[in-house]
Amino acid sequence: MPWPVRLLLRAAVGIQIAIVGWDAIALMEAYGLKRAQWDAREYTSMAYSLLQGELLRMPVVYEPAPYRWPSEWPLGYPAAIAGASALTGMEPFYASRWLNLGLYALTYLLLLKFFRPYAELLFFLTWPPSLTWTVSIALSENLFHPLQLAAIGILYQSFADRKVPLTLPLVLILLFLTRYVGLAVGIAVGVWGLYEVIAQRNYKKGGVLIGSAGLQALFALAYFGWNAAQDPAGQTGLSMRGMPMPSTFLVRTLDEVVFLRYVA
């Protein structure tokens, strides 16, 4: 890629990060909790509980009981908010905005580390400019994206090195703790490990990949079992409010998610 084009793309990334920073910091008092969605309020309430020493129990809006075990969401992102709040001394919602700004910048740094020739283009594919307004809201995607990039980057490097860093199991566990869908990444890692063992006869690399996926699966089973033991109703976290999926889900998605019509 010609250097002037690369320079322009880097400037565009810098502008995007500056916009998010302005939104997260300069507009903090102007919007406050008005910018919070219902799940953002749940995340910040969980962070409050952690800071108040209530361990993993949270006040919720929709349940008749005053407290309920947070079986419907993993704890990684609320714990990150609580950590940012403890470090900055700010209320969890406001601390989350600084946290999210840092994670937004971390996304670009990870792309530079693993995919430098395409870092700017991949950054705009990961966080297109039309979605910058969501970054400073307390949403778990803010942490999931950089962790997912870290996992993909580790796997990408292992193609060339023919070995897998032992940090992969930790990244997969953190990915699961941020969003349960991280298990899909672990399954893909396990399938790739089987391919390495069966087709490539690379037992060492395949074993590390399969072992990383297996550790994530074992951690997930322990986590769901712990949820069931602690939750008053025995909920594991495998079912969420409003499930099963309504029969009109796909029609509503096509009607309400404008981005899909744009892509089509």
Side-chain angles (χ1 to χ4, degrees):
M1 183 181 297
W3 174 246
V5 176
R6 172 64 52 78
L7 194 61
L8 285 173
L9 287 172
R10 287 186 175 177
V13 170
I15 291 171
Q16 285 298 114
I17 294 174
I19 290 172
V20 171
W22 172 74
D23 178 70
I25 300 166
L27 297 182
M28 188 176 292
E29 293 301 331
Y31 285 99
L33 289 173
K34 294 178 182 178
R35 285 290 303 276
Q37 299 178 188
W38 70 272
D39 50 350
R41 290 194 294 270
E42 298 283 8
Y43 291 135
T44 50
S45 70
M46 290 167 71
Y48 271 108
S49 293
L50 290 170
L51 289 170
Q52 292 168 1
E54 293 173 354
L55 296 179
L56 306 178
R57 301 195 332 151
M58 57 175 282
V60 296
V61 177
Y62 306 105
E63 300 290 344
Y67 287 95
R68 180 168 179 79
W69 180 260
S71 61
E72 296 186 0
W73 290 281
L75 295 168
Y77 184 58
I81 295 174
S85 181
L87 288 173
T88 62
M90 303 176 72
E91 293 293 319
F93 176 75
Y94 296 118
S96 74
R97 305 182 83 152
W98 285 95
L99 171 69
N100 295 339
L101 175 59
L103 293 172
Y104 191 66
L106 178 62
T107 299
Y108 181 52
L109 293 177
L110 287 170
L111 288 170
L112 284 175
K113 175 177 175 57
F114 293 116
F115 310 103
R116 182 173 289 271
Y118 315 103
E120 292 76 23
L121 295 175
L122 290 174
F123 181 82
F124 286 118
L125 287 173
T126 303
W127 277 119
S130 61
L131 291 179
T132 53
W133 69 275
T134 67
V135 177
S136 59
I137 297 175
L139 298 175
S140 61
E141 285 85 353
N142 298 320
L143 180 58
F144 185 79
H145 276 324
L147 285 174
Q148 184 176 227
L149 281 174
I152 294 171
I154 289 171
L155 296 172
Y156 179 76
Q157 279 196 340
S158 72
F159 273 112
D161 299 340
R162 294 188 62 78
K163 61 182 180 180
V164 182
L166 297 180
T167 53
L168 180 61
L170 176 61
V171 172
L172 290 178
I173 288 172
L174 292 175
L175 197 64
F176 161 76
L177 278 175
T178 307
R179 291 181 73 87
Y180 295 149
V181 74
L183 287 172
V185 179
I187 291 171
V189 170
V191 171
W192 181 20
L194 289 174
Y195 169 78
E196 289 289 338
V197 170
I198 296 171
Q200 301 296 317
R201 298 288 190 262
N202 190 340
Y203 300 105
K204 184 177 180 180
K205 181 178 178 180
V208 173
L209 290 169
I210 294 171
S212 299
L215 284 173
Q216 187 202 46
L218 288 174
F219 182 89
L221 287 173
Y223 180 85
F224 290 135
W226 192 31
N227 272 2
Q230 300 294 326
D231 188 87
Q235 293 292 323
T236 62
L238 291 172
S239 62
M240 294 186 66
R241 188 183 294 108
M243 299 298 278
M245 183 187 300
S247 59
T248 59
F249 176 78
L250 293 178
V251 175
R252 286 179 55 192
T253 300
L254 292 174
D255 288 341
E256 297 175 12
V257 183
V258 179
F259 179 73
L260 293 179
R261 295 204 298 270
Y262 169 76
V263 170

